[in-house]
Amino acid sequence: MSATSAVQCQALRTCLAAIVVTALSACASSIQIQQPAADSVITVPSTPAATRVVVTGNDRYTGLRVTVDGTDVSNQMVYQGAGSNRDEGNLTLPLGRHTVVARAEVPCWYCQGQTWTSTDTKSFCLVPAGAAGLTKTAFAQADNSSWSSTGGANASYAPDAATNATRWRMTPAATGIGVNVGVIESVEFPCKCLRSPDDNNNSVIALALCDRTDQRQQWRGIRRQTTVGKGVYSFESVASNSFGCLTEQVGGTQVIQRACDITNVTPAQLWTVRNNTTNAFETDSNPWGQ
């Protein structure tokens, strides 16, 4: 066989393999988590809350296994009867972010007697109804502007108008991380938290579905100085290799991250924090105090 023929044969085998893979994915049945929807925020009247999970298939399936945050809850799913291709369950879950994974064996439409494993994953968040709780507002030392969640995708800054757009829940992160580390959740968009997107200077801070185990959502709040009975804080990303600080964007309207100068933090990186229940400003060594 010539070199040219060998290359042509290899190309043909590659093409045939791609066709087979495409056919398998197109011809196999599948399951999906119909409820809850991906990245949904579900308001519940109390906690722990009963959350409905619905799994459906476009054909029959067997061996359904459902986990929530890694815990097997398959025995709480109820098959809805012959021909329904549907399982439902009311799962008792705490407030916060959860991930549900469903896995089952489904038939292949063109290869009689064979099955394939189909999986689906959805993340969602449970928030309490009508419970604003303790909120705080941050003010930039540079111009007294506040973090704003307007739009729900990124953090911007704007004058405080005493609305939920500039109010945040600031709570300590998981036990063992350190007392000066916390997460910052939007009041306007419950279960969305400030998140460092990467390790680069000037990246715009995102609003992402809250996950307290995600180090990119963890901020190290450090008091840099005290002035007129107010603590003045910087907020450093725990995950960022450059220790990016929450910073006002020069000439813009976004909250960005820039490298922190620990000996001379700029006014654009310094913030006072007001407790909106008492209207008093935080003065402790970190801003998370209740």
Side-chain angles (χ1 to χ4, degrees):
M1 181 182 293
S2 68
T4 300
S5 297
V7 170
Q8 290 174 338
C9 286
Q10 179 60 42
L12 180 59
R13 285 195 293 269
T14 301
C15 182
L16 289 174
I19 291 172
V20 170
V21 170
T22 303
L24 291 179
S25 61
C27 294
S29 305
S30 64
I31 64 168
Q32 67 171 333
I33 300 169
Q34 188 179 83
Q35 186 178 331
D39 296 334
S40 57
V41 176
I42 303 169
T43 301
V44 295
S46 61
T47 184
T51 303
R52 193 162 191 76
V53 173
V54 178
V55 177
T56 62
N58 60 355
D59 200 342
R60 66 189 185 280
Y61 54 82
T62 59
L64 178 66
R65 183 171 184 264
V66 178
T67 62
V68 176
D69 306 328
T71 300
D72 194 332
V73 295
S74 305
N75 62 350
Q76 298 181 54
M77 302 295 294
V78 179
Y79 183 56
Q80 298 303 297
S84 68
N85 301 321
R86 182 184 181 96
D87 280 77
E88 299 182 8
N90 290 319
L91 309 183
T92 302
L93 303 172
L95 297 177
R97 182 180 186 271
H98 301 284
T99 299
V100 57
V101 178
R103 178 180 290 106
E105 295 299 311
V106 296
C108 175
W109 291 345
Y110 72 95
C111 41
Q112 187 175 4
Q114 295 188 39
T115 62
W116 306 94
T117 301
S118 175
T119 63
D120 193 20
T121 301
K122 295 289 192 303
S123 291
F124 60 97
C125 196
L126 301 180
V127 298
L134 175 63
T135 70
K136 297 184 180 183
T137 299
F139 298 88
Q141 189 180 59
D143 60 7
N144 222 37
S145 292
S146 299
W147 306 330
S148 174
S149 60
T150 299
N154 298 302
S156 57
Y157 63 88
D160 174 43
T163 65
N164 285 344
T166 54
R167 293 178 175 175
W168 305 82
R169 296 186 181 91
M170 301 186 187
T171 56
T175 302
I177 298 297
V179 294
N180 66 345
V181 173
V183 294
I184 303 170
E185 179 188 0
S186 168
V187 174
E188 181 80 1
F189 297 95
C191 223
K192 283 196 171 184
C193 290
L194 294 187
R195 187 178 191 274
S196 165
D198 50 45
D199 296 334
N200 302 321
N201 273 330
N202 301 317
S203 292
V204 177
I205 300 302
L207 279 167
L209 198 64
C210 293
D211 179 358
R212 293 191 181 191
T213 66
D214 178 6
Q215 286 196 333
R216 291 203 173 276
Q217 295 185 25
Q218 297 173 358
W219 301 93
R220 189 174 289 107
I222 301 174
R223 187 183 63 198
R224 298 298 182 181
Q225 55 188 258
T226 303
T227 176
V228 196
K230 301 177 183 178
V232 182
Y233 304 91
S234 64
F235 292 84
E236 302 175 354
S237 167
V238 169
S240 174
N241 293 332
S242 61
F243 300 101
C245 277
L246 294 182
T247 307
E248 279 189 288
Q249 184 181 46
V250 176
T253 60
Q254 305 297 311
V255 178
I256 62 173
Q257 62 183 22
R258 287 194 61 81
C260 307
D261 183 344
I262 60 175
T263 60
N264 184 29
V265 183
T266 67
Q269 296 178 324
L270 291 173
W271 310 84
T272 57
V273 176
R274 184 187 67 203
N275 180 318
N276 291 319
T277 300
T278 65
N279 285 324
F281 282 82
E282 298 291 348
T283 58
D284 293 341
S285 59
N286 67 71
W288 317 113
Q290 303 299 306

